[in-house]
């Protein structure tokens, strides 16, 4: 099949490369010419383990464009993978979705039976009330009659996105259009996982509810972890016992610095905003966010209680990305921590295997180091903010700190003389 990918960030780059790996012809389209240049030279526009090799190996099936109207011509379907960030009030910002839909609409009049797949996360109602009307208006064509629309939410995790693409727990295909359904059935034919065929709105909602549930599970563990610490109980031992109950499951029970990234915080906020617009009081979702917002502050206060006045103290931050195996710092908990350390007058050294460059733009006053050892040297305290596997190997490096005060936000260290935020 011929597929165009609109938006080559974390989701678009992975989706396109994986569909190419499956033998499809893929055209990558992005308004960011730098990303397109990278793909042309078989390099991933974002850091995701294994993606460069996929782009290289499938180069003969890959083309690129910076223009939607040029790029989608001749393709059977287009995946919309543009960003859907939060507005100031937490509601979803549809600027990129709208402009991509307008351009697709303009191009549709030259195409027959094209299927548009919405992969971006959009709140229920967006595809039917915003995207389809724009497509119809700009193309002067009719959905179902002249083109098809499917909502197919994405569940990948950055850092293991290629594995997640090929081994999904489920695939949700939201459409009420027969042709669109067949196109997606064909595309996902080789996937053995459950495929759920739903209405468009149900598909949109399923994505939000999945993320909101996982975010709530993390906040629940953090609240319990905060209490366990006061009671001198190891929350990880507790959650091991809890997670072995199949009704609960062991994942996302890791207490720590809280959730960040480009999805959980913004998607929970968007769901809260949607609930309130519909006259509901999303008490649980708001609490999940509140607990999450407080965890970085707790980490800094714990450090302060051990180091004393942080003014002019040298504090090492290990980990800047919102999780391991990515260079993505969007809503990373390290951002809140750095901001508060700067307010306290601390001098910050930081190390992350992938995310120093993006963080430099946000906090130029931080000293970015090439290794954990360099960041730790002469530090008065250390905060671990990301679960990078290489941090598990650190040991003697901590001996070069001026004061060996190590506060763990992720429980990745294997050395013994540290203190956990919740344990
Ligand atoms: P991203 O910001 O990394 O990438 C979006 C890309 O779209 C950018 O490269 C941008 O230049 C491009 N773009 C914007 N407008 C465009 C236009 N008119 N034409 C062509 N390209 C355009 O975003 P992302 O992290 O890949 O997320 C994309 C969507 O997928 C969001 O809705 C997000 O919530 C959802 N999602 C993300 C993840 C994740 O882990 N990152 C997981 C599941 C779902």
């Amino acid at each position: 099949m011929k597929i165009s990918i609109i938006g080559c960030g974390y989701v678009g780059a992975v989706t396109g490369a994986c569909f190419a790996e499956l033998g499809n012809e893929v055209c990558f389209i992005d308004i960011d010419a730098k990303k397109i240049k990278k793909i042309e030279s078989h390099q991933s526009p974002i850091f995701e383990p294994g993606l460069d090799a996929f782009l290289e190996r499938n180069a003969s099936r890959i083309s690129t464009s910076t223009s939607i109207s040029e790029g989608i011509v001749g393709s059977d379907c287009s995946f919309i993978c543009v960003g859907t960030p939060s507005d100031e009030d937490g509601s979803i910002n549809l600027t990129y979705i709208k402009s991509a839909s307008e351009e697709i609409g303009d191009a549709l009049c030259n195409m027959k039976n094209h299927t548009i797949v919405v992969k971006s996360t959009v709140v229920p109602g967006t595809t039917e009330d915003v995207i389809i009307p724009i497509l119809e208006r700009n193309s002067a064509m009719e959905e179902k009659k002249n083109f098809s629309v499917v909502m197919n939410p994405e569940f990948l995790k950055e850092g293991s996105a290629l594995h997640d693409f090929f081994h999904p727990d489920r695939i949700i295909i939201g459409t009420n259009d027969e042709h669109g359904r067949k196109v997606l059935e064909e595309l996902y034919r080789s996937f053995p996982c459950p495929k759920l065929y739903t209405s468009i709105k149900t598909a949109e909602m399923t994505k939000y509810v999945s993320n909101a549930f996982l975010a709530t599970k993390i906040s629940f563990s953090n609240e319990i972890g905060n209490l366990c610490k006061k009671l001198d109980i190891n929350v990880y031992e507790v959650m091991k016992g809890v997670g072995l109950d199949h009704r609960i499951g062991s994942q996302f029970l890791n207490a720590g610095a809280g959730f960040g990234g480009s999805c959980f915080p913004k998607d929970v906020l968007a769901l809260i905003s949607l609930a309130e617009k519909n006259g509901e009081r999303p008490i649980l979702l708001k609490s999940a966010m509140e607990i999450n917002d407080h965890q970085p502050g707790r980490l800094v206060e714990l450090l302060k209680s051990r180091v004393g006045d942080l003014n002019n103290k040298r504090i090492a931050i290990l980990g800047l990305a919102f999780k391991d195996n990515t260079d993505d710092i969007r809503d990373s908990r390290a951002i809140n921590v750095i901001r508060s350390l700067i307010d306290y007058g601390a001098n910050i050294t930081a190390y992350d295997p992938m995310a120093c460059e993006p963080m430099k733009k946000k906090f130029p006053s931080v000293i970015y180091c090439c290794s954990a050892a360099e960041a730790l040297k002469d530090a008065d305290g250390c905060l671990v903010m990301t679960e990078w596997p290489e941090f598990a190997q650190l040991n003697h490096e901590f001996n070069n700190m001026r004061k060996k005060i190590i506060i763990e936000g992720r429980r990745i260290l294997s050395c013994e003389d540290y203190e956990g935020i919740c344990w």
Side-chain angles (χ1 to χ4, degrees):
M1 210 174 282
K2 289 187 179 170
I3 299 170
S4 46
I5 297 287
I6 298 163
C8 302
Y10 291 85
V11 168
V14 168
T15 305
C18 291
F19 276 130
E21 176 80 6
L22 287 173
N24 300 286
E25 281 180 45
V26 175
C27 180
F28 287 97
I29 307 165
D30 203 295
I31 44 174
D32 183 342
K34 275 195 230 141
K35 284 195 171 135
I36 291 302
K37 265 218 150 63
K38 279 210 139 185
I39 296 174
E40 278 166 2
S41 54
H42 320 312
Q43 282 178 325
S44 169
I46 46 99
F47 172 73
E48 180 61 39
L51 197 51
D52 284 345
F54 269 37
L55 291 169
E56 174 95 61
R57 189 158 66 227
N58 297 293
S60 63
R61 281 193 287 274
I62 288 175
S63 58
T64 57
S65 179
T66 49
S67 140
I68 292 182
S69 55
E70 218 177 80
I72 73 169
V73 173
S75 64
D76 302 297
C77 63
S78 301
F79 279 78
I80 302 182
C81 305
V82 300
T84 47
S86 293
D87 262 335
E88 291 274 292
D89 63 355
S91 63
I92 187 169
N93 177 325
L94 294 175
T95 311
Y96 302 114
I97 284 279
K98 285 181 182 167
S99 78
S101 305
E102 280 168 11
E103 287 177 66
I104 297 169
D106 292 341
L108 273 182
C109 35
N110 303 318
M111 300 168 77
K112 263 193 176 163
N113 292 331
H114 192 70
T115 298
I116 296 111
V117 186
V118 180
K119 222 175 210 326
S120 298
T121 304
V122 290
V123 293
T126 307
T127 303
E128 284 164 311
D129 302 340
V130 179
I131 299 176
I132 293 175
I134 293 177
L135 293 171
E136 290 189 329
R137 193 184 60 227
N138 280 48
S139 64
M141 285 160 72
E142 233 179 274
E143 191 238 346
K144 289 201 198 82
K145 196 167 152 200
N146 309 104
F147 63 88
S148 308
V149 174
V150 181
M151 205 285 145
N152 172 222
E154 179 54 58
F155 296 98
L156 66 78
K157 298 180 292 300
E158 289 176 24
S160 58
L162 302 186
H163 176 271
D164 295 347
F165 180 92
F166 289 108
H167 305 93
D169 293 329
R170 76 309 207 183
I171 294 171
I172 310 282
I173 297 173
T175 188
N176 44 19
D177 177 287
E178 206 38 48
H179 175 71
R181 180 187 164 121
K182 282 196 182 128
V183 169
L184 274 276
E185 253 169 15
E186 179 59 29
L187 267 178
Y188 289 119
R189 185 176 294 282
S190 60
F191 290 69
C193 67
K195 289 163 199 156
L196 298 190
Y197 294 92
T198 69
S199 72
I200 289 179
K201 265 191 200 159
T202 302
E204 290 168 330
M205 190 64 170
T206 307
K207 171 66 190 170
Y208 278 95
V209 175
S210 298
N211 274 1
F213 186 81
L214 293 173
T216 306
K217 215 173 165 191
I218 296 171
S219 278
F220 175 82
S221 302
N222 286 339
E223 185 163 282
I224 299 297
N226 294 338
L227 174 62
C228 280
K229 187 167 175 79
K230 292 251 162 78
L231 302 175
D232 203 17
I233 297 170
N234 186 332
V235 66
Y236 276 80
E237 282 178 25
V238 172
M239 288 309 184
K240 192 172 175 190
V242 171
L244 283 169
D245 184 328
H246 292 297
R247 293 169 302 175
I248 296 172
S250 60
Q251 293 193 48
F252 287 75
L253 289 180
N254 297 335
F259 56 81
S262 67
C263 291
F264 284 6
K266 91 167 166 70
D267 291 350
V268 179
L269 285 176
L271 196 54
I272 289 171
S273 164
L274 183 72
E276 286 177 338
K277 277 184 192 149
N278 283 279
E280 289 299 319
R281 286 176 60 224
I283 305 162
L284 183 62
L285 297 177
K286 281 189 158 179
S287 301
M289 285 307 291
E290 196 182 328
I291 294 166
N292 198 54
D293 290 344
H294 282 131
Q295 287 309 97
R298 291 182 80 102
L299 207 60
V300 174
E301 289 313 308
L302 182 58
L303 177 80
K304 199 161 156 263
S305 72
R306 302 295 183 251
V307 173
D309 184 1
L310 292 174
N311 191 33
N312 277 326
K313 293 285 176 0
R314 191 177 166 109
I315 304 300
I317 308 252
L318 299 187
L320 299 170
F322 84 91
K323 70 181 283 298
D324 60 318
N325 278 312
T326 183
D327 59 352
D328 198 345
I329 60 161
R330 288 178 284 185
D331 257 319
S332 166
R333 302 292 82 191
I335 294 173
N336 309 48
V337 160
I338 292 174
R339 208 169 272 142
S340 135
L341 288 176
I342 289 175
D343 285 347
Y344 277 125
N347 303 317
I348 304 168
T349 54
Y351 168 69
D352 186 289
M354 291 308 304
C356 284
E357 281 309 313
M359 201 60 102
K360 258 181 205 169
K361 292 179 197 136
K362 246 187 167 40
F363 296 110
S365 67
V366 168
I367 298 168
Y368 295 90
C369 302
C370 297
S371 67
E374 190 187 335
L376 288 167
K377 193 164 182 318
D378 298 329
D380 296 289
C382 161
L383 291 174
V384 180
M385 297 304 301
T386 313
E387 62 277 31
W388 281 100
E390 69 172 67
F391 295 160
Q393 314 305 322
L394 296 173
N395 206 333
H396 64 88
E397 291 83 351
F398 292 110
N399 296 336
N400 293 330
M401 294 175 72
R402 215 168 67 80
K403 277 194 204 149
K404 200 170 172 181
I405 297 170
I406 309 162
I407 311 289
E408 243 285 33
R410 298 296 178 192
R411 205 170 188 256
I412 181 70
L413 299 182
S414 52
C415 62
E416 276 173 7
D417 34 7
Y418 70 81
E419 182 172 357
I421 172 182
C422 304
W423 65 97

